[in-house]
Each structure stands twice: as structure tokens, then as C-alpha cells.
Amino acid sequence: MSDTDGKKPLGLGGNRPGQVKQSFSHGRTKSVVVETKRKRVVVPKPGAPAAGDKPRSATPENVARAVASSTKRPAGISDAEMERRLKALAAAKAREAEETAARAAEEKSREEERERRRAEIEAKEREDREREEMLRAKEEEDARKAEEAKLRAQKKEEVRKPAAAAPAAAPADAAAAQAAAARAETKGVSARPARPEREVRPDDRDSRNKNNDRDARRTGKLSVTAALDGEGGRQRSLAAMKRKQERAKQKAMGQNLRAEKQVRDVQLPEAIVVSELANRMAERAADVVKALMKMGMMVTMNQSIDADTAELVIEEFGHRAVRVSDADVEQVIDQVQDKAEDLQPRPPIITIMGHVDHGKTSLLDKIRHANVVSGEAGGITQHIGAYQVKTESGAVLTFLDTPGHAAFTSMRARGANVTDIVVLVVAADDAVMPQTVEAINHAKAANVPMIVAINKIDKPAANAQKVRTDLLQHEVVVEEMGGDVQDVEVSAHTGQGLDDLLEAIALQAEILELKANPDRAAQGAVIEAQLDVGRGPVATVLVQNGTLRRGDIFVVGEQWGKVRALIDDKGNRVDEAGPSVPVEVLGLNGTPEAGDVLNVVETEAQAREIADYRIQAAKDKRAAAGAATTLEQLMAKAKADESVAELPVVVKADVQGSAEAIVQALEKVGNDEVRVRVLHYGVGAITESDVGLAEASGAPVIGFNVRANAPARNSANQKGVEIRYYSIIYDLVDDIKAAASGLLSAEVRENFIGYAEIREVFKVTGVGKVAGCLVTEGVARRSAGVRLLRDNVVIHEGTLKTLKRFKDEVKEVQSGQECGMAFENYDDIRVGDVIEIFEREEVERSL
């Protein structure tokens, strides 16, 4: 049975089979049967239009009908579905026809717009050319007229010369000469007829336009816009056309003069960036860089140059250099003198000064009806306080309470500098003491009047007359002694004499005629500054002039800020503070130094600029101080410090004044052998960074009225750093002094315990020379040190090798007994020498 079994092989109907031989690698071949497909012949259907028929319009009905007639319906499609598909197809074709028409219309309008612009530009160029030609023709006409006038003048001169040379000529000759001159004049005029205007032919204009276009194409850069526009060459901007028209108009009016360069006054600081210099001169930065390169300076526009170089550049560009200093930023602080009519009376500022524990704060408490003393640690004032008091008579007084302890010298000096009147409190039972004398000196240095308040007059041991007499030694002569200083006997305990004291203050204030201008920018002094945990940096400011308001921008020392809140001495928030009013100011960016001056400025930028300048000035000052030290001085200092022991400490205090006072007190502790070195001092709580610094230097951390926060405490426990807290300054100073004393080397003292005289010298084998001695005084001990005296001159000092009585080694030998002694490493002993026996003891020293 055959494979086909009488059936045809499977394949596409109407195809003709063929055979193709395929070749592979290694000589292998394979025959493959392929089928060739016949070309399909399309026979037109009976309903189709002939080739010569006119096509119908492309309405949706016709399109649908054409599609329906030429499309074979697929199987399983209903008539409704087929109708829907045909309609969708017709709608798509119609939409495509509409979009094509819209695109054609848009392209046409764009082309028209381009043509219109081109026509406008050509019209403007034509107008410009015509205007230029008219101007050129006018210039040529003017030149020709001037030439003709010159020729006429020359002809007249030539005619005049022969006439003057022959005055006796006949009238006929004169007439002939005039006729000749007239002919010559006529001939001269008509010799150069005016040139007719050349007719501009269209061919010339077209050739000129072609040349212009060619030049524009050559000179202009080819941009994407120009390439897409297809016009070749760049089109001039509207601004360029306007400038060109303006120049042509000025030229026609005879104003073809270059604008004169404006000479500027250029503010020139110590150093300036090149771009900023160009900006101030209103010149291009590239030109300034070029000028500097010509001078041999290869700089960029972002580099800084010195003032001398900048001045040369400014002169090169024809401007004037005005030298300014960095310190000129402080000129914005208003220092104008107030007019007499603007001044108004202000309350007096009274500073209470005196020795520690003489009753200054108690006296002020009695006046204020307050109790500040009970809140003070150890019953002594350690901060400077500012208060306002209204007396029964209605007068307002501002009091400053200063500490009396020796450590607070700078606080007292600050109080004296901002005050109007000093009240010197002296205890009647204690008289004049060291800080009393210091307060007197501060008051004299500040040149302020003084009132002496003799306190504790109610005590049995009070002696007011002794106080007055002691004050005479310091050139303070009270009124009772014939001087001009008021003195009042008072008692802070009973209130005796307080009215007299207030009356004396009022009288002194009236004499001083204190006035200030409240309607100007505020100026004040920082009495105290601290870093509050919740409120940030806080400064106690005594306003001296003007009015400080909430929202004012100010600069104080190296810090600046904006007044966020003002708090008076009673803890109430206020909106403003006038002259002589003490307030706490919130809103600083850092803690200022006590004693800094507060000034209100106009803008935040000014405040920041002044603060930055002051910080830089302080940094430069410190750097200059370091730079002034030579290498030899550094080496000498290092050599001198080799033998000096140092006790490093880190100090944190509650307020700036206290920190300053502690540092000053600690710097005084020490001598040539030991000293205290304050590694860092600041205001606020003890932090981890303080503990880290202390650990690195092996220093304790001293906290004065502040505590360590929790992370700092944990860090200190882990690192073994000692934190010590104090609330009274003299306890702190005493402890540091005791710690520094521990670094002192002990003092070695010698105690003589006996003398022995050498009676005989023996030589002992294995020992050497042994002295047979008689103890003449005291006692001879084996452990003691000895000196050998010969004719009362020390010839050896050392220790005993052996001490024997008879043949026994003994620890000591009493006076009047004989013994044998041998020296360690020394044998030169003779009969008659004296042995001095002594003991050394170490005694601890203290500062």
C-alpha cells in the first residue's frame, strides 16, 4: 500500500511544488520540497464603478456605502453591529479629513504672517536707507554750497586787486571790469550745477538687498530658529531697530556726541572682591579682570584684592576712590547730641556699695519693703541687682545693689560707671574696711558724688564718730567734719534714718539736674547676663538714654538680637522701658559680657554686620597678641613653666558677672611653684562637652549656683570626672586654694639632735676607718643624717654605715657615752673632728 493511498498530499490549493537543495557544514546536504504561490488576480465586482466614472463626494453616507460595498462581512456579525462599525469608520475618516483641512489653513495663516513680517522689515529698512540717502544728499549740498561761497569770495578778491592797482583807469574800463566780474560770477555759479538726484532703479535695489542678505548670512550665527524659518540670516530685534532710529535722528539733529562717562565715588574697604568692585564702579567684571591682568595680577572675579590695588583699578577706569574702614559699620549707631528742648527729667541711679556684711542689701530691703537677704546663699550678695523704688513723696529711684566680697571688684566697678550717686554703707561697729576703701576709689574714678550711710547705728558697739574719722584717711570729708560729703546715720534693722537717707538722695539728684531724651533710639548698659534654661540668653539692662521697646533690633557687645520680651524688677512684662529703668531683655542670640553697651539699630542686617565686625576685631586682637610673641620668648616661658605645677579647672556659673569674678579670684591663687589655670568658663548648666574637656585635661568641674544635666552626670560617673557644686564664692576659693596647696612640694626642715667628738680613729678590716667618739650633746641615732665638721667647716655630709657601742650594733647612743661610728663611702676622718647629727622632716605647705 502506498503512502498516499490514492490521496493528494496536503498543501495550499493552486500552488506548484518544487525542490531546493540545502548545503550544510562537513559536506552534508538536504533536499527540501517548497511550494510556489500563484499571483492573485482581482476581478472587479458587478456593482463597482468603471474607471472613467466621476467619483462621488466623501459624505459619511457615501463613505459608509463604499465601505459596505467593498468590505466582506466577517462571519458571526449581525447587521446592526456591521452598521455601527461602518458608521464609526466613516466618522474617523471624516475627522481625519477635517484635521487635514485645519492644518492646511493654519500653515497658510503662518505663511501669511511670515510674509507680513518680512514686508514690514523690508519697509523699515527701505525707510532707513532713504533717510540715510537724504541725509547724505543734504550733507553733500551743504558742502557744495560752502565750496561755492568760497569760490565767490576768491573771485571777488581777484577782481578787487586790479581795481585797486589802477585807480586812474577810464570809466569804460571800469564798466568793462564790472561786466567781466558779473560774467565771472555768473560763470562761477553755473560752473557746478546741482547734481540731479539719482533715480533708484529696481534692479539696483534688488542687487543691494541680495548683497545685504548675503552679508547678514555670512556674519550672523546660524541658530535653530533661523534654520527653521528658512529665510537665511538673522532678523534684528525691535530694540536694535529702535536704537538705530534713535542714532539716525540724533545724527540728523547734529547731536552725534558720545555720552560723557559718569565719574563715580567708589567706597573702598580694606579688602574687596573683584566682582563687588566692578559692581560699585558700574563696569563689567570682565573689564576689571582684564585691567588687573594687565597689571600682572592673575585673579578671577570671585577673588579678593587689597585696597591699594583696587584704588589703582578705580583710577584706571576714571572713578574716584573713597577709602572706608571696617570700623565704619559702627557709624550707624546714633551718637547725635540731644537738643535741650528734647531733654526730660529722669530718675537718679543710685549704687549701694561697701564692705561685705555691712548691711547693704538689708538697707535696700528696708527701703523696698522686700526681703532679698533671706534668699541669698550664706547671707551675702553675690549678684548685682537692679530695682526701682517709689518713695512716699512720689519720687522714683533706681537702685543698684553690688556685692561687697573682695572677688566682685569688676562688678562694683561696673556699678560705679553707670551710676549717678554712690551710697557708701559703712557699719558703725566695724568702721572702714578694705572693700570700703575700694568702693571709695571706684566712686572717685567714676567721678560721681557720694553719700555715706553709717549703718547698724542701733547696736551697742556702734561708734559713728570713729567711722567719720577713719574716712578722713581716704580723703572723704563728711559735712559734720567741714566737708561736702553728706552722711546719714541709719539702721536697716529698725528703719531709723531711712527718711533722712532718701531726702539726702533726692537733694543730691536735684543738684545734678538729671535729664535724658526718651524719644530717641535706646542706649543702655548690661548690668548682668545669664543663660536661662527656658528663656535662653537673658541680659539685665539699665536704659540710660532713649526708650527700649518690644520688637527693637539691637546690638550689645559681640551679640545682637530683637527684643522678644521686657521684664521689670518685679517680674512683670512691660512693652517699653524709658531712661533709668532696669529691665531683663529676652531675644539675644548669645550671652553678652556684663558691662557691654546696648544700642538699638534700624535693621537686622546692620546689627549682624556690627556684631560680626566686633567678633572679627576681637579675634584679630587675640591673634595679634599671640603673634607678637617671639620664639625665644615662647622657649623662655616653656622653660620657666617646667617647674610650675598647674591645677586645671572648668568653671560654670549662673550669671556672667559671677563667672568673671570667680575666674579673677582663681587667677590670684598660686605662687611661683603652683597656679590655677581656668581651661574654660561659661554661663549655664554643666554639659557633656564641659565633662569631656575636664576629662581630657584631668580637671575638676566647678559649678557655682548651677547643676549638671542628666547626660553630663552620667558621663562624669563613667569617665571619673569630679563635679563640685558651690553657692558661696569664698568656699569655692578656699577649696581651690587647698587643692592647689596639695601640689606644692613639702618643705624639708632639719632638726639637730646631737653632736659627737672623734677621740680616736681605728682601722677595721672589711669596714674601713672607724671613729671612736664621745657623744657630747643630745643623742646619736643610726637612722639620722650626719655632717663631718673640721675647724667648724662642713667637709662631708652623708649617713652612718654603722653605730656600735662596745661590740654591739645599737640604734642610738645617749649623751656622755662613747661609741664607734663609720661613714658610708667616706674614710677621711681625723682625731678632733666633730660629727653633727640631724634628722629631716617634711612640712606641708599651704598657699
Side-chain angles (χ1 to χ4, degrees), residues 317-328:
F317 280 91
H319 300 291
R320 287 188 295 270
V322 179
R323 288 286 190 109
V324 293
S325 170
D326 289 340
D328 292 346

Side-chain angles (χ1 to χ4, degrees), residues 337-364:
Q337 291 293 326
D338 295 315
K339 296 177 182 175
E341 57 267 21
D342 295 336
L343 299 175
Q344 297 177 16
R346 65 170 177 85
I349 301 166
I350 304 107
T351 300
I352 298 181
M353 301 173 84
H355 192 72
V356 64
D357 208 24
H358 274 204
K360 299 180 295 300
T361 307
S362 302
L363 187 64
L364 185 55

Side-chain angles (χ1 to χ4, degrees), residues 637-646 671-674 743 745:
K637 187 174 184 297
K639 196 171 182 181
D641 289 349
E642 276 180 4
S643 59
V644 179
E646 281 189 343
N671 55 17
D672 294 339
E673 295 177 44
V674 66
L743 296 175
S745 56

